[in-house]
């Protein structure tokens, strides 16, 4: 076990991407850290140093900090909340069916935090992505407990990419802290300034501005992706090659090529959610961010148009077999939440299409998580007898696909490659029609 230090007692609530990246980073910096997770299977896996999702760097560092005793994983109980100096809340805070905040966990945590008098009041840090105005609601919950008024409340949103969550935590582009009074942020600023070089900007502001920064950043990224997808759709209809068009736009330094790559649309646990949350009127009133509505509309239209094009190419959809390669929402992760490939599969099934899905990072699973969609055990099984192949995620594994190999498995040589992974000249020379 580590030696006793004067470091603050840190509690991180939630063992998802954000919570674990935060906890593992702090533990690796020498801060004794405890993670609270309600799922007992995840708790047991983490105690055995096994990460429950695909994130290689995080998995390696997790083994190190659990092994040396700086990271402890427990299930929810009041005592850790009542002892911790810093409490980072990183739970999935929004109900994805109603897009309303899940209030019950925050009510319970507020009761535990404010249930006892502390010599030094704790600092509570909201890292979850919340609707505008939600922090004030958490403040009210704390104030309604016997001793919660003494607790300081901050908002410090995350800006992480799945697959690189720990890397982005270790090397952030900026740190944002929202506080009611600037002095409230002192305990968190002290940790950040000890953990990060002086070159990392720390933006200090109020609660609602910090909430808006997070939601607005992801809404902009969604809108940016929607824009290049709309350009790609026009190019497709006109028979234009997208690559030089994308370059000609993105090489403008005011625009850039980063986060400007087409595919099946934007998905995952952040962008679609935040486009909804920024327009929630649960706490903020009735202001509408039209850019969020536009990004969502373009994103949804993309799959509709793909299906119409597929129908045209195949002379009808009913009874046809379609292979979708890649089920995750982005390359080289195993997260299928709000995946465009999964949504496409569901829409095709409604059209009476036989759909076969393969994903290299979901090997060994029978179905796609949180769905009833079966997974093909091998890429060959998915491709056999297919009338069309659709690249569903830009996994590196698919770069090695060979037209000769696939040509012997499919019954119709048609590939939809909206990600631009495949060499069109090579595939067309092998008799394939490539739709990009």
């Amino acid at each position: 076990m580590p030696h006793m230090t004067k470091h603050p007692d840190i509690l991180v609530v939630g063992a998802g991407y954000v919570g674990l990246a935060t906890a593992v980073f702090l533990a690796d910096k020498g801060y004794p850290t405890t993670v609270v997770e309600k799922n007992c299977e995840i708790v047991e896996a983490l105690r055995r140093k096994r990460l429950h999702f695909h994130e290689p760097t995080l998995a390696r560092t997790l083994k190190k900090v659990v092994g040396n005793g700086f990271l402890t994983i427990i299930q929810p109980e009041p005592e850790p909340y009542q002892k911790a100096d810093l409490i980072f809340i990183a739970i999935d805070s929004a109900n994805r069916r109603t897009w309303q905040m899940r209030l019950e966990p925050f009510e319970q945590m507020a009761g535990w935090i404010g249930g006892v008098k502390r010599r030094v009041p704790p600092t509570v840090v909201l890292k979850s992505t919340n609707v505008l105005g939600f922090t004030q609601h958490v403040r009210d919950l704390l104030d309604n407990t016997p001793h919660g008024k003494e607790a300081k409340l901050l908002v410090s949103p995350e800006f992480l990419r799945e697959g690189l969550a720990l890397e982005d935590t270790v090397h952030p582009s900026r740190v944002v802290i929202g506080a009611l009074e600037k002095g409230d942020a002192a305990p968190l600023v002290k940790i950040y300034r000890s953990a990060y070089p002086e070159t990392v900007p720390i933006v200090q502001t109020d609660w609602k501005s910090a909430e808006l920064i997070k939601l607005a950043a992801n809404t902009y990224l969604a809108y940016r992706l929607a824009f290049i997808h709309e350009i790609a759709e026009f190019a497709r209809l006109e028979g234009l090659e997208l690559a030089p068009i994308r370059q000609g736009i993105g090489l403008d330094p005011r625009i850039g090529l980063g986060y400007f790559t087409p595919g099946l649309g934007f998905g995952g646990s952040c962008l679609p959610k935040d486009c909804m949350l920024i327009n929630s009127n649960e706490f903020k009133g009735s202001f509408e961010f039209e850019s969020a509505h536009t990004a969502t509309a373009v994103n949804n239209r993309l799959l509709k148009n793909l299906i119409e094009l597929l129908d045209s190419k195949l002379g009808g959809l009913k009874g046809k077999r379609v292979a979708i390669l890649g089920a995750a929402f982005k390359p080289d992760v195993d997260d299928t939440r709000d995946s465009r490939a999964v949504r496409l599969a569901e829409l095709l099934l409604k059209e009476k299409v036989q759909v076969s899905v393969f994903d290299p990072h979901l090997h060994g699973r029978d179905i796609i998580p949180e769905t009833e969609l079966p997974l093909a055990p091998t890429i060959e099984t998915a491709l056999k007898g297919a009338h069309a192949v659709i690249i569903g995620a830009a996994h590196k594994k698919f770069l090695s696909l060979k037209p000769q190999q696939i040509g012997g498995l499919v019954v119709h040589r048609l590939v939809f490659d909206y990600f631009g992974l495949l060499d069109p000249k090579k595939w067309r020379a092998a008799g394939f029609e490539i739709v990009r």
Side-chain angles (χ1 to χ4, degrees):
M1 293 294 290
H3 296 296
M4 294 296 290
T5 71
K6 294 181 180 179
H7 284 322
D9 189 335
I10 295 175
L11 185 70
V12 177
V13 185
Y17 292 88
V18 177
L20 272 185
T22 301
V24 168
F25 168 68
L26 291 171
D28 197 37
K29 287 290 183 180
Y31 292 95
T33 304
T34 299
V35 173
V36 174
E37 170 55 49
K38 66 179 181 179
N39 186 314
C40 59
E41 292 181 2
I42 292 175
V43 169
E44 288 306 312
L46 292 173
R47 286 173 175 172
R48 295 195 302 270
K49 309 178 191 178
R50 295 180 184 173
L51 191 58
H52 51 288
F53 49 83
H54 182 75
E55 185 112 4
T57 306
L58 184 57
R60 287 194 296 271
T61 313
L62 172 75
K63 290 180 180 178
K64 172 185 171 184
V65 295
V66 172
N68 65 21
F70 276 94
L71 186 66
T72 304
I73 301 98
I74 63 171
Q75 288 188 270
E77 56 181 287
E79 187 178 1
Y81 288 85
Q82 295 165 355
K83 287 185 173 180
D85 301 304
L86 267 172
I87 302 170
F88 292 89
I89 299 179
I91 63 172
D92 192 358
S93 52
N95 184 317
R96 289 176 176 272
R97 290 188 295 274
T98 65
W99 299 111
Q100 300 290 299
M101 299 302 295
R102 296 167 54 238
L103 303 179
E104 296 86 354
F106 291 91
E107 291 168 354
Q108 183 183 58
M109 286 185 283
W112 287 348
I113 293 167
V116 296
K117 186 168 180 61
R118 302 274 302 275
R119 185 175 64 83
V120 179
T123 298
V124 180
V125 184
L126 299 181
K127 293 197 73 67
S128 310
T129 303
N130 306 312
V131 300
L132 297 170
F134 183 67
T135 306
Q136 180 61 59
H137 178 73
V138 176
R139 179 74 267 172
D140 294 341
L141 291 176
L142 286 167
D143 289 350
N144 287 331
T145 64
H147 304 284
K149 287 183 179 181
E150 301 165 8
K152 297 179 176 66
L153 181 61
L154 307 175
V155 182
S156 186
E158 51 80 21
F159 302 96
L160 308 182
R161 296 167 294 171
E162 277 193 36
L164 296 167
L166 185 59
E167 289 90 332
D168 287 345
T169 303
V170 174
H171 304 289
S173 56
R174 76 285 200 197
V175 170
V176 174
I177 303 174
L180 184 63
E181 297 179 11
K182 190 172 181 180
D184 292 349
L188 187 57
V189 171
K190 183 178 180 181
I191 284 186
Y192 284 157
R193 277 298 173 220
S194 70
Y196 293 128
E198 287 291 327
T199 52
V200 173
I202 295 181
V203 179
Q204 295 195 59
T205 184
D206 58 88
W207 289 335
K208 190 170 285 190
S209 295
E211 293 169 337
L212 179 60
I213 288 167
K214 169 62 177 179
L215 292 173
N218 276 349
T219 298
Y220 170 74
L221 292 175
Y223 194 85
R224 181 179 172 87
L225 287 172
F227 177 80
I228 191 60
H229 281 102
E230 196 162 39
I231 296 297
E233 280 210 284
F234 180 79
R236 202 171 293 125
L237 288 171
E238 295 291 319
L240 306 175
E241 183 63 39
L242 179 64
I245 297 170
R246 175 178 170 269
Q247 272 197 309
I249 299 169
L251 286 174
D252 185 322
R254 297 168 299 175
I255 299 173
L257 289 165
Y259 232 82
F260 201 57
T261 304
L264 293 182
F266 59 84
S269 63
C270 292
L271 301 194
K273 176 190 70 176
D274 291 355
C275 282
M276 298 297 294
L277 293 185
I278 200 169
N279 276 324
S280 168
N281 59 10
E282 192 172 1
F283 295 104
K284 74 166 173 59
S286 59
F287 185 89
E288 289 294 313
F289 292 86
E290 292 298 330
S291 53
H293 291 308
T294 300
T296 301
V298 171
N299 206 42
N300 292 338
R301 190 183 70 199
L302 181 67
L303 295 185
K304 175 179 176 289
N305 289 351
L306 187 156
I307 290 172
E308 289 177 358
L309 184 56
L310 180 64
D311 182 36
S312 173
K313 296 281 186 186
L314 294 180
L317 292 174
K318 187 176 180 180
K320 298 297 195 303
R321 182 175 174 84
V322 172
I324 298 178
L325 304 184
F329 85 92
K330 64 180 282 190
D332 303 312
V333 302
D334 59 355
D335 189 351
T336 58
R337 288 177 293 175
D338 215 337
S339 158
R340 295 290 87 188
V342 172
R343 181 60 182 151
L344 176 61
E346 292 170 340
L347 292 172
L348 288 172
L349 286 171
K350 289 181 180 179
E351 299 292 332
K352 309 301 181 185
V353 175
Q354 299 173 35
V355 180
S356 185
V357 183
F358 170 79
D359 191 288
H361 293 307
L362 296 174
H363 183 70
R365 301 193 189 209
D366 296 325
I367 61 171
I368 296 172
E370 299 182 17
T371 76
E372 296 180 358
L373 294 171
L375 278 163
T378 65
I379 195 168
E380 290 78 15
T381 306
L383 291 167
K384 191 171 183 180
H387 296 86
V389 178
I390 299 173
I391 304 295
H395 285 308
K396 293 174 185 173
K397 182 180 179 68
F398 302 146
L399 289 169
S400 61
L401 290 172
K402 294 180 172 57
Q404 296 80 8
Q405 170 198 14
I406 292 182
L409 294 168
V410 300
V411 297
H412 188 72
R413 297 191 175 201
L414 173 64
V415 177
F416 281 69
D417 178 25
Y418 282 13
F419 295 92
L421 284 185
L422 309 178
D423 181 342
K425 290 182 181 179
K426 183 168 69 174
W427 283 75
R428 286 166 184 155
F432 278 86
E433 180 180 1
I434 301 289
V435 182
R436 290 164 61 98

